[in-house]
Amino acid sequence: AEVPHELVKGFAKLGLLDWADPDSSEPVPTNLMTGITALEMAHADPSLSVFFGVHSGLAMGTILSCGSEDQKRRWLPAMSRFEKIGAFALTEPHGGSDVAGGMETTARRDGDEWVLNGAKRWIGNATFADVIVVWAREVETNKVLGFVVEKGTPGFTATKIENKFALRIVQNADIVLDECRVPEANRLQNANSFKDAAEILRRTRSGVAWQAVGVQFAAYELALQYAKERVQFGRPIGKFQMVQDLLVKMLGNATACAGMMVRLAQLQHEGVYRDEQSALAKAYCTSRMRETVHWARELFGGNGIVLDYNIGRFVADSEALYSYEGTREMQTLIVGKSVTGLSAFV
C-alpha cells in the first residue's frame, strides 16, 4: 500500500510524456500507442497504470485542454518529467455518478483570489501530488469551474483512505477544502462548465478499458503457466479438458476486448468516435475482465487465494477498474440512450 517512487523515476527515463512539454518537438503519441501503454502497465500492475493515468490523462490532460498557454508552460514541463505529480479532484462524498448535477464544492471570487470550500473523495495521488486539479461550482453563476491547487496551499487537506483491498498502491484520498484560497492565475481559463470536465473523462474512459485488457492477458498468462506446471493425477492439469476450457474462454475474452479497443483507437484517430462508444468499451471490457480473472482464480484452485501466486491482486484490482470512471450501469444507460433514442436517466 505504498507508492514505489523508484519506479516513478523509471517512468521519467522512458520519456513517455516528453511530448507534453510545450517546447518539446516530440510527436504526440497516437491513440493506439497511448492505449497499448495503458495495457502494458496494467499487465504488470494495475495500480501503477492508474497512477500514470491520473497523472497524465486526468491532471495533465485537463491542463492541456483547459489551461491557457501560460498555464501550460507553468506546469506541464515539470509534470512531463515527473518532477511534479498531478491529481484530479471531481468525485465528492455525496456525489459520484451524479456529481454533475449536485456538486457541493463551491468557489467564491474575492478580488484576485478564489475561495474554495467543500470536500472531494477517492482522489488518486492526492496525498503527495504537487498539482491538484479541483472542480468547483461558482456560487454566483452556478457554473462549474476548474482550478489548480498547489501542494502546501493553506486550507487544503488530503487524508489517505485506508483499508482498501484493491489498487493498493494508489493513494486515494479524502480532500477537505476549508476557505482554501487560490489566485485567479490558478483558475483554468478554459474550464468553464461541467462539459469541460466531462470531455476529459470521455477521453480517459477508454484508458480504463485498455487497462482491463492488460489485466485479462496478465491473468490468462499466469493461469496458462500454472496449468503447465501444476501436476495432479500424475499429469499437468493443462491436459484436462475442463482446464483447457477455462483457458480458451479467458483468451477469447481478452482477444475480443483487444480487438474492440484497437477499433476504438482507430475511431479516435479519425476524430469520429462518440461518447457511447467509449461507454460501451468501458462497460464491456471491464465486465469481461471480471469473468476472466475469476476463471483464472478458479484454475488455481485453493492456491488462487494465496498472494504468493500473484493472481489474487488481479482479482482484487479488477473490482476497482470495474467501478471507477463510471460504473457499468451508468455506461449501459449512455449506450442505451444512444441505441433507442430514449433516456432512462432519472
Side-chain angles (χ1 to χ4, degrees):
E2 297 177 357
V3 179
H5 289 286
E6 68 279 5
L7 296 183
V8 173
K9 294 177 182 178
F11 284 160
K13 292 179 181 178
L14 289 174
L16 294 174
L17 299 177
D18 287 353
W19 62 271
D21 186 333
D23 294 323
S24 173
S25 60
E26 290 290 321
V28 177
T30 64
N31 296 107
L32 183 59
M33 178 61 187
T34 300
I36 290 174
T37 300
L39 182 158
E40 291 292 350
M41 287 187 181
H43 181 278
D45 189 273
S47 287
L48 283 177
S49 185
V50 170
F51 159 80
F52 182 82
V54 170
H55 172 69
S56 62
L58 291 174
M60 293 181 66
T62 302
I63 295 170
L64 275 166
S65 295
C66 301
S68 66
E69 289 303 313
D70 286 343
Q71 289 173 331
K72 293 176 188 178
R73 291 184 177 279
R74 179 178 168 189
W75 289 304
L76 290 179
M79 295 178 77
S80 70
R81 297 189 297 269
F82 291 87
E83 293 168 1
K84 290 184 180 293
I85 301 300
F88 179 92
L90 176 63
T91 302
E92 298 183 342
H94 302 130
S97 298
D98 68 342
V99 71
M103 186 174 293
E104 296 177 354
T105 302
T106 61
R108 184 183 77 253
R109 184 71 182 261
D110 184 16
D112 291 332
E113 293 183 321
W114 290 85
V115 183
L116 306 182
N117 282 286
K120 300 291 184 180
R121 183 163 171 80
W122 293 115
I123 311 307
N125 300 352
T127 58
F128 62 95
D130 304 283
V131 175
I132 304 97
V133 174
V134 175
W135 297 89
R137 177 176 53 82
E138 186 180 4
V139 174
E140 290 188 8
T141 66
N142 232 23
K143 287 183 178 180
V144 172
L145 306 178
F147 302 87
V148 170
V149 178
E150 297 180 274
K151 187 176 183 178
T153 301
F156 174 91
T157 305
T159 304
K160 180 183 174 182
I161 297 174
E162 300 286 357
N163 301 321
K164 293 190 307 169
F165 72 81
L167 298 180
R168 297 271 291 164
I169 287 173
V170 179
Q171 305 296 293
N172 295 99
D174 282 313
I175 288 176
V176 174
L177 299 153
D178 183 10
E179 294 292 297
C180 180
R181 289 179 172 268
V182 296
E184 165 64 12
N186 283 33
R187 181 180 66 82
L188 293 169
Q189 299 300 300
N190 298 311
N192 299 305
S193 72
F194 187 80
K195 288 183 178 180
D196 297 314
E199 174 61 22
I200 304 300
L201 295 175
R202 183 171 75 102
R203 297 176 192 172
T204 58
R205 188 168 293 127
S206 61
V208 183
W210 277 108
Q211 291 170 345
V213 179
V215 168
Q216 289 183 77
F217 277 117
Y220 164 75
E221 290 166 15
L222 286 169
L224 177 60
Q225 185 64 33
Y226 186 77
K228 293 178 179 179
E229 296 174 350
R230 174 67 168 170
V231 174
Q232 288 287 280
F233 302 100
R235 68 188 69 181
I237 63 172
K239 292 192 70 172
F240 294 110
Q241 293 177 357
M242 295 181 73
V243 170
Q244 291 188 4
D245 176 63
L246 289 174
L247 289 168
V248 171
K249 288 191 293 187
M250 282 184 263
L251 181 59
N253 270 359
T255 303
C257 290
M260 173 181 276
M261 294 314 301
V262 169
R263 179 56 183 150
L264 183 61
Q266 292 171 342
L267 295 173
Q268 290 172 320
H269 181 72
E270 295 165 8
V272 296
Y273 90 112
R274 301 185 300 274
D275 283 350
E276 58 267 26
Q277 291 165 333
S278 289
L280 179 62
K282 201 276 180 179
Y284 180 81
C285 292
T286 56
S287 294
R288 299 290 75 75
M289 169 191 64
R290 232 180 174 196
E291 288 181 341
T292 300
V293 298
H294 281 88
W295 283 331
R297 198 227 59 79
E298 180 181 336
L299 188 148
F300 275 80
N303 286 334
I305 68 167
V306 181
L307 294 178
D308 296 358
Y309 287 85
N310 214 21
I311 190 63
R313 65 188 177 90
F314 287 103
V315 174
D317 288 349
S318 70
E319 290 300 304
L321 268 61
Y322 181 70
S323 296
Y324 90 118
E325 287 249 15
T327 63
R328 183 197 63 80
E329 290 81 4
M330 295 303 296
Q331 308 299 350
T332 296
L333 294 181
I334 292 171
V335 180
K337 179 180 179 181
S338 172
V339 298
T340 65
L342 304 170
S343 176
F345 286 96
V346 176

